[in-house]
Amino acid sequence: MSASFVHALVCHPATPDSRVRAISVSVQREADGGLSLIYRLDGDPSALRIPDGATALPPERLWAYTCFELFVATDGQLPYREFNFSPGGQWIRFDFGDYRQRIASPPGPAPQLALRQPSRCLELSVRLPAEHLPEGDLCLGLTAVVEHADGSHRYWALRHPSGQPDFHHREGFALALKVPKT
């Protein structure tokens, strides 16, 4: 197992967030090639719309609600994957051949999702099997969409490219993860 590191996300400057103090993501590459992530949102949950397990959301639109996301690519390659993980337990994977050009996504095993809600906090643990990840060293984009109680959205990422929020932009794939040494 490789070491786990915590990465702080930043809110996009065009949409400051007074309801969320911080969002961080702990990332660990497992010896089997899978990923373990823990998304932690610190803030006022009563001021946010947090999906629950009792309400099925449209899978293709999980990103339109409070959702934690992961973008995965290999360095120097155009194809990439997007994963959306809902606090309500739903998830979806999108594959892209190039910037925002969707292609078919082959099936794979479901990731393990577990939600905890300590006081004024929300933690979503994700265990993503290796079958969902490309081989080799990875470039990751760590992101979150936060829906406020009034229906407005805030956009958090490890790095934002200039301009409007755009999680698909390669400048946002700011975390390099090496293949674990055995």
Side-chain angles (χ1 to χ4, degrees), residues 110-170:
Q112 299 168 354
L113 302 177
L115 180 66
R116 285 188 26 184
Q117 291 185 281
S119 178
R120 300 186 63 76
C121 175
L122 177 123
E123 288 182 355
L124 183 66
S125 298
V126 177
R127 171 65 172 93
L128 190 62
E131 292 88 342
H132 283 291
L133 301 169
E135 292 184 18
D137 297 338
L138 303 178
C139 300
L140 304 181
L142 304 172
T143 66
V145 175
V146 178
E147 185 179 17
H148 284 210
D150 66 4
S152 64
H153 293 84
R154 303 302 185 271
Y155 304 95
W156 293 73
L158 189 58
R159 179 185 303 154
H160 292 281
S162 61
Q164 295 300 312
D166 183 359
F167 295 156
H168 291 257
H169 196 286
R170 256 337 209 310

Short mmCIF file of all heavy atoms in Angstrom, two decimals, residues 110-170:
data_model
loop_
_atom_site.label_atom_id
_atom_site.label_comp_id
_atom_site.label_asym_id
_atom_site.label_seq_id
_atom_site.Cartn_x
_atom_site.Cartn_y
_atom_site.Cartn_z
N ALA A 110 -18.61 -2.16 -9.27
CA ALA A 110 -18.99 -0.94 -8.55
C ALA A 110 -17.95 -0.58 -7.51
O ALA A 110 -17.41 -1.46 -6.83
CB ALA A 110 -20.35 -1.14 -7.87
N PRO A 111 -17.64 0.70 -7.38
CA PRO A 111 -16.77 1.10 -6.28
C PRO A 111 -17.52 0.95 -4.95
O PRO A 111 -18.75 0.91 -4.93
CB PRO A 111 -16.47 2.57 -6.58
CG PRO A 111 -17.56 3.03 -7.46
CD PRO A 111 -18.06 1.82 -8.20
N GLN A 112 -16.78 0.88 -3.88
CA GLN A 112 -17.38 0.85 -2.55
C GLN A 112 -17.48 2.29 -2.06
O GLN A 112 -16.48 3.01 -2.04
CB GLN A 112 -16.53 0.03 -1.59
CG GLN A 112 -16.38 -1.41 -2.00
CD GLN A 112 -15.31 -2.13 -1.19
OE1 GLN A 112 -14.59 -1.54 -0.41
NE2 GLN A 112 -15.22 -3.42 -1.41
N LEU A 113 -18.68 2.70 -1.66
CA LEU A 113 -18.91 4.05 -1.14
C LEU A 113 -19.43 3.93 0.29
O LEU A 113 -20.30 3.10 0.57
CB LEU A 113 -19.95 4.80 -1.98
CG LEU A 113 -19.67 4.98 -3.47
CD1 LEU A 113 -20.84 5.66 -4.15
CD2 LEU A 113 -18.41 5.76 -3.69
N ALA A 114 -18.92 4.77 1.17
CA ALA A 114 -19.40 4.80 2.56
C ALA A 114 -19.45 6.25 3.02
O ALA A 114 -18.47 6.98 2.89
CB ALA A 114 -18.48 3.99 3.46
N LEU A 115 -20.59 6.66 3.54
CA LEU A 115 -20.79 8.03 4.00
C LEU A 115 -20.77 8.09 5.52
O LEU A 115 -21.40 7.26 6.18
CB LEU A 115 -22.13 8.57 3.49
CG LEU A 115 -22.48 10.00 3.90
CD1 LEU A 115 -21.52 11.00 3.26
CD2 LEU A 115 -23.92 10.33 3.52
N ARG A 116 -20.07 9.06 6.03
CA ARG A 116 -20.10 9.39 7.46
C ARG A 116 -20.44 10.86 7.58
O ARG A 116 -20.02 11.66 6.73
CB ARG A 116 -18.72 9.16 8.10
CG ARG A 116 -18.34 7.73 8.33
CD ARG A 116 -17.06 7.67 9.14
NE ARG A 116 -17.02 8.90 9.89
CZ ARG A 116 -16.08 9.35 10.68
NH1 ARG A 116 -15.05 8.74 10.88
NH2 ARG A 116 -16.12 10.47 11.31
N GLN A 117 -21.18 11.22 8.62
CA GLN A 117 -21.53 12.62 8.83
C GLN A 117 -21.26 13.04 10.27
O GLN A 117 -22.18 13.22 11.06
CB GLN A 117 -22.99 12.87 8.46
CG GLN A 117 -23.22 12.74 6.97
CD GLN A 117 -24.62 13.10 6.56
OE1 GLN A 117 -25.55 12.32 6.72
NE2 GLN A 117 -24.76 14.30 6.02
N PRO A 118 -19.97 13.20 10.61
CA PRO A 118 -19.68 13.76 11.93
C PRO A 118 -20.21 15.19 12.01
O PRO A 118 -20.62 15.76 10.99
CB PRO A 118 -18.16 13.74 12.01
CG PRO A 118 -17.65 13.14 10.75
CD PRO A 118 -18.80 12.93 9.83
N SER A 119 -20.20 15.78 13.16
CA SER A 119 -20.73 17.13 13.36
C SER A 119 -20.13 18.12 12.37
O SER A 119 -18.91 18.22 12.24
CB SER A 119 -20.42 17.57 14.79
OG SER A 119 -20.87 18.88 15.00
N ARG A 120 -21.02 18.85 11.66
CA ARG A 120 -20.65 19.91 10.72
C ARG A 120 -19.62 19.45 9.68
O ARG A 120 -18.73 20.20 9.27
CB ARG A 120 -20.17 21.15 11.45
CG ARG A 120 -21.24 21.72 12.37
CD ARG A 120 -20.87 23.03 13.00
NE ARG A 120 -20.68 24.12 12.07
CZ ARG A 120 -21.65 24.81 11.44
NH1 ARG A 120 -22.91 24.49 11.62
NH2 ARG A 120 -21.35 25.80 10.64
N CYS A 121 -19.80 18.20 9.24
CA CYS A 121 -18.85 17.61 8.31
C CYS A 121 -19.54 16.50 7.54
O CYS A 121 -20.53 15.94 8.00
CB CYS A 121 -17.67 17.07 9.11
SG CYS A 121 -16.46 16.19 8.13
N LEU A 122 -19.01 16.20 6.39
CA LEU A 122 -19.49 15.08 5.58
C LEU A 122 -18.25 14.39 5.02
O LEU A 122 -17.36 15.06 4.49
CB LEU A 122 -20.36 15.63 4.46
CG LEU A 122 -20.91 14.64 3.47
CD1 LEU A 122 -22.42 14.75 3.46
CD2 LEU A 122 -20.36 14.92 2.10
N GLU A 123 -18.15 13.08 5.18
CA GLU A 123 -17.03 12.33 4.64
C GLU A 123 -17.55 11.20 3.76
O GLU A 123 -18.35 10.38 4.21
CB GLU A 123 -16.18 11.71 5.75
CG GLU A 123 -15.37 12.71 6.52
CD GLU A 123 -14.52 12.04 7.60
OE1 GLU A 123 -14.62 10.81 7.81
OE2 GLU A 123 -13.75 12.78 8.22
N LEU A 124 -17.08 11.16 2.53
CA LEU A 124 -17.43 10.08 1.62
C LEU A 124 -16.16 9.31 1.30
O LEU A 124 -15.22 9.86 0.72
CB LEU A 124 -18.07 10.61 0.33
CG LEU A 124 -18.54 9.53 -0.64
CD1 LEU A 124 -19.70 8.73 -0.04
CD2 LEU A 124 -18.95 10.13 -1.97
N SER A 125 -16.13 8.04 1.70
CA SER A 125 -15.01 7.15 1.39
C SER A 125 -15.34 6.39 0.12
O SER A 125 -16.45 5.88 -0.03
CB SER A 125 -14.77 6.16 2.52
OG SER A 125 -14.44 6.84 3.70
N VAL A 126 -14.37 6.30 -0.76
CA VAL A 126 -14.53 5.62 -2.04
C VAL A 126 -13.36 4.66 -2.22
O VAL A 126 -12.20 5.05 -2.06
CB VAL A 126 -14.55 6.61 -3.22
CG1 VAL A 126 -14.64 5.88 -4.56
CG2 VAL A 126 -15.66 7.63 -3.07
N ARG A 127 -13.67 3.42 -2.55
CA ARG A 127 -12.64 2.44 -2.93
C ARG A 127 -12.93 2.08 -4.38
O ARG A 127 -13.94 1.47 -4.71
CB ARG A 127 -12.72 1.22 -2.02
CG ARG A 127 -11.84 0.05 -2.44
CD ARG A 127 -10.34 0.41 -2.35
NE ARG A 127 -9.48 -0.73 -2.57
CZ ARG A 127 -8.97 -1.08 -3.75
NH1 ARG A 127 -9.22 -0.38 -4.83
NH2 ARG A 127 -8.19 -2.12 -3.86
N LEU A 128 -12.07 2.56 -5.29
CA LEU A 128 -12.25 2.38 -6.72
C LEU A 128 -11.36 1.23 -7.20
O LEU A 128 -10.13 1.31 -7.11
CB LEU A 128 -11.89 3.68 -7.45
CG LEU A 128 -12.21 3.78 -8.92
CD1 LEU A 128 -13.71 3.67 -9.17
CD2 LEU A 128 -11.70 5.09 -9.48
N PRO A 129 -11.97 0.15 -7.71
CA PRO A 129 -11.17 -1.00 -8.16
C PRO A 129 -10.24 -0.64 -9.31
O PRO A 129 -10.53 0.23 -10.13
CB PRO A 129 -12.23 -2.02 -8.63
CG PRO A 129 -13.50 -1.59 -7.98
CD PRO A 129 -13.40 -0.09 -7.84
N ALA A 130 -9.14 -1.36 -9.38
CA ALA A 130 -8.13 -1.14 -10.43
C ALA A 130 -8.70 -1.28 -11.83
O ALA A 130 -8.22 -0.63 -12.76
CB ALA A 130 -6.97 -2.10 -10.23
N GLU A 131 -9.75 -2.10 -12.01
CA GLU A 131 -10.33 -2.31 -13.34
C GLU A 131 -10.85 -1.02 -13.96
O GLU A 131 -11.01 -0.95 -15.18
CB GLU A 131 -11.50 -3.32 -13.26
CG GLU A 131 -11.08 -4.72 -12.92
CD GLU A 131 -11.02 -4.99 -11.42
OE1 GLU A 131 -10.98 -4.04 -10.61
OE2 GLU A 131 -11.01 -6.17 -11.04
N HIS A 132 -11.10 0.00 -13.16
CA HIS A 132 -11.61 1.27 -13.67
C HIS A 132 -10.50 2.24 -14.08
O HIS A 132 -10.79 3.32 -14.58
CB HIS A 132 -12.47 1.97 -12.62
CG HIS A 132 -13.84 1.39 -12.47
ND1 HIS A 132 -14.80 1.50 -13.44
CD2 HIS A 132 -14.40 0.69 -11.46
CE1 HIS A 132 -15.90 0.90 -13.04
NE2 HIS A 132 -15.68 0.39 -11.85
N LEU A 133 -9.27 1.87 -13.81
CA LEU A 133 -8.16 2.81 -13.99
C LEU A 133 -7.24 2.37 -15.12
O LEU A 133 -7.01 1.18 -15.31
CB LEU A 133 -7.36 2.93 -12.70
CG LEU A 133 -8.18 3.40 -11.49
CD1 LEU A 133 -7.39 3.22 -10.21
CD2 LEU A 133 -8.61 4.84 -11.68
N PRO A 134 -6.70 3.34 -15.87
CA PRO A 134 -5.73 2.98 -16.89
C PRO A 134 -4.44 2.48 -16.22
O PRO A 134 -4.17 2.80 -15.07
CB PRO A 134 -5.50 4.29 -17.65
CG PRO A 134 -5.91 5.37 -16.72
CD PRO A 134 -6.95 4.77 -15.81
N GLU A 135 -3.68 1.71 -16.95
CA GLU A 135 -2.41 1.23 -16.43
C GLU A 135 -1.39 2.36 -16.44
O GLU A 135 -1.47 3.27 -17.24
CB GLU A 135 -1.90 0.06 -17.27
CG GLU A 135 -2.75 -1.18 -17.13
CD GLU A 135 -2.17 -2.36 -17.89
OE1 GLU A 135 -0.98 -2.34 -18.25
OE2 GLU A 135 -2.94 -3.30 -18.12
N GLY A 136 -0.44 2.27 -15.54
CA GLY A 136 0.66 3.23 -15.51
C GLY A 136 0.42 4.37 -14.55
O GLY A 136 -0.50 4.35 -13.72
N ASP A 137 1.28 5.36 -14.67
CA ASP A 137 1.19 6.54 -13.81
C ASP A 137 -0.05 7.34 -14.19
O ASP A 137 -0.41 7.43 -15.36
CB ASP A 137 2.44 7.41 -13.98
CG ASP A 137 3.72 6.69 -13.53
OD1 ASP A 137 3.61 5.73 -12.73
OD2 ASP A 137 4.80 7.09 -13.98
N LEU A 138 -0.69 7.92 -13.18
CA LEU A 138 -1.96 8.62 -13.39
C LEU A 138 -1.84 10.11 -13.16
O LEU A 138 -1.04 10.56 -12.34
CB LEU A 138 -3.02 8.06 -12.43
CG LEU A 138 -3.29 6.56 -12.49
CD1 LEU A 138 -4.33 6.18 -11.43
CD2 LEU A 138 -3.75 6.15 -13.88
N CYS A 139 -2.66 10.87 -13.86
CA CYS A 139 -2.87 12.30 -13.62
C CYS A 139 -4.32 12.42 -13.15
O CYS A 139 -5.23 11.99 -13.87
CB CYS A 139 -2.68 13.12 -14.89
SG CYS A 139 -1.04 12.98 -15.60
N LEU A 140 -4.53 13.00 -11.97
CA LEU A 140 -5.86 13.08 -11.39
C LEU A 140 -6.35 14.51 -11.27
O LEU A 140 -5.58 15.41 -10.92
CB LEU A 140 -5.89 12.46 -10.00
CG LEU A 140 -5.42 11.02 -9.84
CD1 LEU A 140 -5.55 10.58 -8.39
CD2 LEU A 140 -6.17 10.09 -10.76
N GLY A 141 -7.63 14.69 -11.53
CA GLY A 141 -8.33 15.93 -11.21
C GLY A 141 -9.28 15.62 -10.05
O GLY A 141 -10.12 14.73 -10.18
N LEU A 142 -9.10 16.27 -8.94
CA LEU A 142 -9.94 16.08 -7.75
C LEU A 142 -10.89 17.27 -7.67
O LEU A 142 -10.43 18.41 -7.61
CB LEU A 142 -9.09 15.99 -6.49
CG LEU A 142 -8.01 14.91 -6.48
CD1 LEU A 142 -7.11 15.06 -5.26
CD2 LEU A 142 -8.64 13.54 -6.55
N THR A 143 -12.20 17.01 -7.67
CA THR A 143 -13.17 18.09 -7.74
C THR A 143 -14.41 17.79 -6.90
O THR A 143 -14.64 16.66 -6.49
CB THR A 143 -13.60 18.35 -9.20
OG1 THR A 143 -14.33 17.22 -9.67
CG2 THR A 143 -12.41 18.62 -10.10
N ALA A 144 -15.19 18.84 -6.69
CA ALA A 144 -16.47 18.69 -5.99
C ALA A 144 -17.41 19.79 -6.47
O ALA A 144 -17.00 20.92 -6.73
CB ALA A 144 -16.29 18.81 -4.48
N VAL A 145 -18.69 19.41 -6.59
CA VAL A 145 -19.76 20.37 -6.85
C VAL A 145 -20.59 20.41 -5.57
O VAL A 145 -20.97 19.37 -5.05
CB VAL A 145 -20.64 19.92 -8.04
CG1 VAL A 145 -21.82 20.88 -8.22
CG2 VAL A 145 -19.83 19.81 -9.31
N VAL A 146 -20.84 21.61 -5.07
CA VAL A 146 -21.63 21.77 -3.84
C VAL A 146 -22.88 22.56 -4.17
O VAL A 146 -22.80 23.69 -4.68
CB VAL A 146 -20.81 22.48 -2.73
CG1 VAL A 146 -21.66 22.68 -1.49
CG2 VAL A 146 -19.55 21.69 -2.41
N GLU A 147 -24.02 21.94 -3.92
CA GLU A 147 -25.30 22.61 -4.15
C GLU A 147 -25.79 23.22 -2.85
O GLU A 147 -25.94 22.53 -1.84
CB GLU A 147 -26.34 21.64 -4.70
CG GLU A 147 -27.64 22.33 -5.07
CD GLU A 147 -28.68 21.38 -5.64
OE1 GLU A 147 -28.57 20.15 -5.48
OE2 GLU A 147 -29.64 21.89 -6.26
N HIS A 148 -26.04 24.52 -2.87
CA HIS A 148 -26.57 25.22 -1.69
C HIS A 148 -28.08 25.02 -1.61
O HIS A 148 -28.73 24.65 -2.59
CB HIS A 148 -26.23 26.71 -1.77
CG HIS A 148 -24.80 27.00 -1.44
ND1 HIS A 148 -24.38 28.16 -0.88
CD2 HIS A 148 -23.66 26.25 -1.59
CE1 HIS A 148 -23.08 28.15 -0.69
NE2 HIS A 148 -22.63 27.00 -1.12
N ALA A 149 -28.63 25.28 -0.44
CA ALA A 149 -30.07 25.10 -0.21
C ALA A 149 -30.91 25.93 -1.18
O ALA A 149 -32.03 25.55 -1.51
CB ALA A 149 -30.42 25.44 1.23
N ASP A 150 -30.37 27.05 -1.67
CA ASP A 150 -31.11 27.90 -2.61
C ASP A 150 -31.00 27.41 -4.06
O ASP A 150 -31.51 28.05 -4.98
CB ASP A 150 -30.66 29.35 -2.49
CG ASP A 150 -29.22 29.59 -2.92
OD1 ASP A 150 -28.55 28.63 -3.41
OD2 ASP A 150 -28.73 30.73 -2.78
N GLY A 151 -30.31 26.27 -4.29
CA GLY A 151 -30.17 25.72 -5.63
C GLY A 151 -28.94 26.20 -6.38
O GLY A 151 -28.65 25.71 -7.47
N SER A 152 -28.20 27.16 -5.83
CA SER A 152 -26.97 27.62 -6.49
C SER A 152 -25.85 26.61 -6.26
O SER A 152 -25.92 25.77 -5.36
CB SER A 152 -26.58 29.00 -5.96
OG SER A 152 -26.26 28.93 -4.57
N HIS A 153 -24.82 26.69 -7.09
CA HIS A 153 -23.72 25.73 -7.03
C HIS A 153 -22.38 26.43 -6.81
O HIS A 153 -22.18 27.55 -7.28
CB HIS A 153 -23.64 24.92 -8.33
CG HIS A 153 -24.81 24.03 -8.52
ND1 HIS A 153 -25.99 24.46 -9.06
CD2 HIS A 153 -24.98 22.71 -8.24
CE1 HIS A 153 -26.85 23.45 -9.09
NE2 HIS A 153 -26.26 22.39 -8.61
N ARG A 154 -21.50 25.71 -6.14
CA ARG A 154 -20.12 26.15 -5.96
C ARG A 154 -19.23 25.03 -6.50
O ARG A 154 -19.56 23.86 -6.40
CB ARG A 154 -19.78 26.43 -4.49
CG ARG A 154 -20.68 27.45 -3.82
CD ARG A 154 -20.65 28.80 -4.55
NE ARG A 154 -21.41 29.83 -3.86
CZ ARG A 154 -22.70 30.08 -4.04
NH1 ARG A 154 -23.41 29.35 -4.88
NH2 ARG A 154 -23.30 31.05 -3.39
N TYR A 155 -18.07 25.43 -7.05
CA TYR A 155 -17.21 24.49 -7.74
C TYR A 155 -15.83 24.49 -7.08
O TYR A 155 -15.17 25.53 -7.02
CB TYR A 155 -17.10 24.87 -9.22
CG TYR A 155 -18.48 24.94 -9.85
CD1 TYR A 155 -19.16 26.16 -9.95
CD2 TYR A 155 -19.13 23.79 -10.27
CE1 TYR A 155 -20.44 26.22 -10.48
CE2 TYR A 155 -20.41 23.84 -10.81
CZ TYR A 155 -21.05 25.06 -10.91
OH TYR A 155 -22.33 25.11 -11.43
N TRP A 156 -15.42 23.33 -6.61
CA TRP A 156 -14.17 23.16 -5.89
C TRP A 156 -13.26 22.23 -6.69
O TRP A 156 -13.72 21.25 -7.26
CB TRP A 156 -14.43 22.55 -4.52
CG TRP A 156 -15.19 23.44 -3.57
CD1 TRP A 156 -16.51 23.77 -3.63
CD2 TRP A 156 -14.66 24.11 -2.45
NE1 TRP A 156 -16.83 24.60 -2.59
CE2 TRP A 156 -15.72 24.82 -1.84
CE3 TRP A 156 -13.40 24.18 -1.87
CZ2 TRP A 156 -15.54 25.59 -0.70
CZ3 TRP A 156 -13.22 24.94 -0.72
CH2 TRP A 156 -14.28 25.64 -0.15
N ALA A 157 -11.97 22.53 -6.71
CA ALA A 157 -11.01 21.68 -7.43
C ALA A 157 -9.62 21.84 -6.83
O ALA A 157 -9.33 22.84 -6.16
CB ALA A 157 -10.99 22.05 -8.91
N LEU A 158 -8.79 20.87 -7.11
CA LEU A 158 -7.39 20.95 -6.70
C LEU A 158 -6.73 22.13 -7.40
O LEU A 158 -5.96 22.87 -6.81
CB LEU A 158 -6.69 19.63 -7.04
CG LEU A 158 -5.29 19.43 -6.51
CD1 LEU A 158 -5.24 19.54 -5.00
CD2 LEU A 158 -4.77 18.08 -6.96
N ARG A 159 -7.09 22.32 -8.68
CA ARG A 159 -6.59 23.47 -9.45
C ARG A 159 -7.66 23.83 -10.48
O ARG A 159 -8.21 22.96 -11.14
CB ARG A 159 -5.29 23.12 -10.16
CG ARG A 159 -4.76 24.30 -10.98
CD ARG A 159 -3.53 23.97 -11.79
NE ARG A 159 -2.45 23.48 -10.96
CZ ARG A 159 -1.49 22.68 -11.40
NH1 ARG A 159 -1.47 22.30 -12.67
NH2 ARG A 159 -0.54 22.25 -10.61
N HIS A 160 -7.92 25.12 -10.61
CA HIS A 160 -8.87 25.62 -11.62
C HIS A 160 -8.10 26.28 -12.76
O HIS A 160 -7.23 27.11 -12.51
CB HIS A 160 -9.80 26.69 -11.01
CG HIS A 160 -10.75 26.18 -9.99
ND1 HIS A 160 -11.91 25.52 -10.31
CD2 HIS A 160 -10.71 26.23 -8.64
CE1 HIS A 160 -12.57 25.20 -9.20
NE2 HIS A 160 -11.85 25.61 -8.17
N PRO A 161 -8.43 25.93 -14.01
CA PRO A 161 -7.87 26.71 -15.12
C PRO A 161 -8.50 28.10 -15.11
O PRO A 161 -9.52 28.31 -14.46
CB PRO A 161 -8.28 25.92 -16.36
CG PRO A 161 -9.43 25.09 -15.93
CD PRO A 161 -9.31 24.88 -14.45
N SER A 162 -7.93 29.04 -15.82
CA SER A 162 -8.51 30.38 -15.86
C SER A 162 -9.85 30.35 -16.57
O SER A 162 -10.13 29.46 -17.37
CB SER A 162 -7.55 31.37 -16.53
OG SER A 162 -7.31 30.96 -17.86
N GLY A 163 -10.67 31.33 -16.28
CA GLY A 163 -11.99 31.40 -16.89
C GLY A 163 -13.05 30.74 -16.03
O GLY A 163 -12.90 30.61 -14.82
N GLN A 164 -14.12 30.31 -16.67
CA GLN A 164 -15.24 29.67 -15.97
C GLN A 164 -14.83 28.30 -15.42
O GLN A 164 -13.88 27.69 -15.93
CB GLN A 164 -16.43 29.52 -16.93
CG GLN A 164 -17.02 30.83 -17.38
CD GLN A 164 -17.53 31.66 -16.21
OE1 GLN A 164 -18.24 31.17 -15.35
NE2 GLN A 164 -17.15 32.92 -16.18
N PRO A 165 -15.55 27.80 -14.40
CA PRO A 165 -15.23 26.46 -13.90
C PRO A 165 -15.30 25.43 -15.03
O PRO A 165 -16.25 25.41 -15.80
CB PRO A 165 -16.33 26.20 -12.86
CG PRO A 165 -16.81 27.55 -12.44
CD PRO A 165 -16.66 28.42 -13.67
N ASP A 166 -14.26 24.60 -15.13
CA ASP A 166 -14.21 23.57 -16.17
C ASP A 166 -13.35 22.43 -15.67
O ASP A 166 -12.12 22.43 -15.82
CB ASP A 166 -13.64 24.15 -17.47
CG ASP A 166 -13.63 23.13 -18.60
OD1 ASP A 166 -14.05 21.97 -18.39
OD2 ASP A 166 -13.20 23.50 -19.71
N PHE A 167 -13.98 21.45 -15.07
CA PHE A 167 -13.26 20.32 -14.50
C PHE A 167 -12.63 19.43 -15.57
O PHE A 167 -11.74 18.65 -15.27
CB PHE A 167 -14.19 19.47 -13.62
CG PHE A 167 -14.71 20.17 -12.40
CD1 PHE A 167 -15.88 19.75 -11.81
CD2 PHE A 167 -14.04 21.23 -11.82
CE1 PHE A 167 -16.37 20.35 -10.66
CE2 PHE A 167 -14.51 21.86 -10.68
CZ PHE A 167 -15.68 21.41 -10.09
N HIS A 168 -13.08 19.52 -16.82
CA HIS A 168 -12.55 18.69 -17.89
C HIS A 168 -11.23 19.22 -18.45
O HIS A 168 -10.54 18.50 -19.16
CB HIS A 168 -13.56 18.59 -19.04
CG HIS A 168 -14.77 17.79 -18.69
ND1 HIS A 168 -14.96 16.49 -19.11
CD2 HIS A 168 -15.86 18.11 -17.94
CE1 HIS A 168 -16.11 16.04 -18.64
NE2 HIS A 168 -16.68 17.01 -17.94
N HIS A 169 -10.89 20.45 -18.15
CA HIS A 169 -9.68 21.06 -18.67
C HIS A 169 -8.46 20.36 -18.07
O HIS A 169 -8.38 20.17 -16.86
CB HIS A 169 -9.66 22.56 -18.34
CG HIS A 169 -8.69 23.34 -19.14
ND1 HIS A 169 -7.33 23.28 -18.91
CD2 HIS A 169 -8.88 24.19 -20.17
CE1 HIS A 169 -6.72 24.07 -19.76
NE2 HIS A 169 -7.64 24.64 -20.54
N ARG A 170 -7.50 20.01 -18.91
CA ARG A 170 -6.34 19.24 -18.46
C ARG A 170 -5.50 19.97 -17.41
O ARG A 170 -4.82 19.32 -16.62
CB ARG A 170 -5.46 18.89 -19.65
CG ARG A 170 -5.52 17.43 -20.17
CD ARG A 170 -6.00 16.43 -19.20
NE ARG A 170 -5.57 15.08 -19.26
CZ ARG A 170 -5.55 14.24 -20.26
NH1 ARG A 170 -5.87 14.61 -21.46
NH2 ARG A 170 -5.17 13.01 -20.10
#
